[in-house]
Amino acid sequence: MKAKIIIPNILAVLLLGIGLYVCLSVVSQRESEASASRQLKSMSMLFARSEALRGRERLQEVARFSMTKAVTAAFRELPLVQSADEDALTYEKRLRQAWFKKALHTVETVAATLESRGRAPALVFITDRNGVVLARNTTPNACPAGKNVSNAMPVVKRALD
């Protein structure tokens, strides 16, 4: 008689325990997934904000570099005087070559300075006021001289504006 009362009670307790275990594990799993999802959303927002901030910092850094002596010197007149026996075309060609060397040196200086600060740039270039590339520090295929990049690169357009 005692076995008839004890065995059903043990089975009821086991089934109820297993049912509660399954129910609690499912609820716990849902809660942990929801918590992970909330954390992931907040982390992704934080990441997006930090990327935007890093972009603004780089834009400010570029603006600061554009006012440095090394960069502004590239846009000053070159102290080259046309000799009496030199025609105008040769003089202009010599002036363009000298300016290009100066601009290229400026670009390399800026790239090296950024790299020494732990911000190795993929591309550094000088444009005119319309966004046409005048000099760059990488291969010509990356950003060819004479190409207008203000429409292709919104950051350049904003910097020029």
Side-chain angles (χ1 to χ4, degrees):
M1 182 82 163
K2 286 184 179 180
K4 287 183 179 179
I5 295 173
I6 293 175
I7 292 176
N9 284 336
I10 289 176
L11 287 176
V13 168
L14 283 176
L15 289 176
L16 185 62
I18 291 172
L20 285 173
Y21 172 77
V22 170
C23 181
L24 287 175
S25 68
V26 168
V27 168
S28 174
Q29 187 176 5
R30 284 184 187 160
E31 283 294 319
S32 65
E33 286 175 1
S35 173
S37 176
R38 285 191 302 270
Q39 286 180 345
L40 185 61
K41 283 181 184 177
S42 67
M43 293 293 241
S44 66
M45 285 177 45
L46 180 64
F47 180 72
R49 287 179 181 170
S50 67
E51 282 297 308
L53 179 62
R54 187 168 30 176
R56 286 188 186 110
E57 286 174 346
R58 284 191 176 173
L59 192 57
Q60 288 174 350
E61 195 168 25
V62 167
R64 278 195 308 272
F65 269 126
S66 68
M67 297 303 161
T68 61
K69 193 173 192 178
V71 174
T72 57
F75 292 98
R76 291 195 193 111
E77 289 183 29
L78 292 168
L80 295 177
V81 180
Q82 183 176 0
S83 61
D85 60 340
E86 186 177 41
D87 65 349
L89 289 176
T90 308
Y91 170 70
E92 285 180 20
K93 184 178 178 182
R94 188 167 56 92
L95 190 63
R96 267 195 312 272
Q97 287 175 345
W99 184 89
F100 182 74
K101 285 180 185 176
K102 197 174 188 182
L104 196 57
H105 174 70
T106 301
V107 166
E108 292 296 337
T109 302
V110 169
T113 305
L114 286 172
E115 192 169 345
S116 70
R117 294 181 181 177
R119 296 179 179 238
L123 177 66
V124 176
F125 54 86
I126 294 179
T127 67
D128 64 5
R129 69 180 62 141
N130 299 319
V132 176
V133 175
L134 302 175
R136 74 245 174 253
N137 72 327
T138 60
T139 60
N141 295 337
C143 191
K147 179 182 178 187
N148 189 332
V149 293
S150 65
N151 295 331
M153 297 180 178
V155 68
V156 173
K157 186 165 183 63
R158 278 185 268 140
L160 291 172
D161 289 343

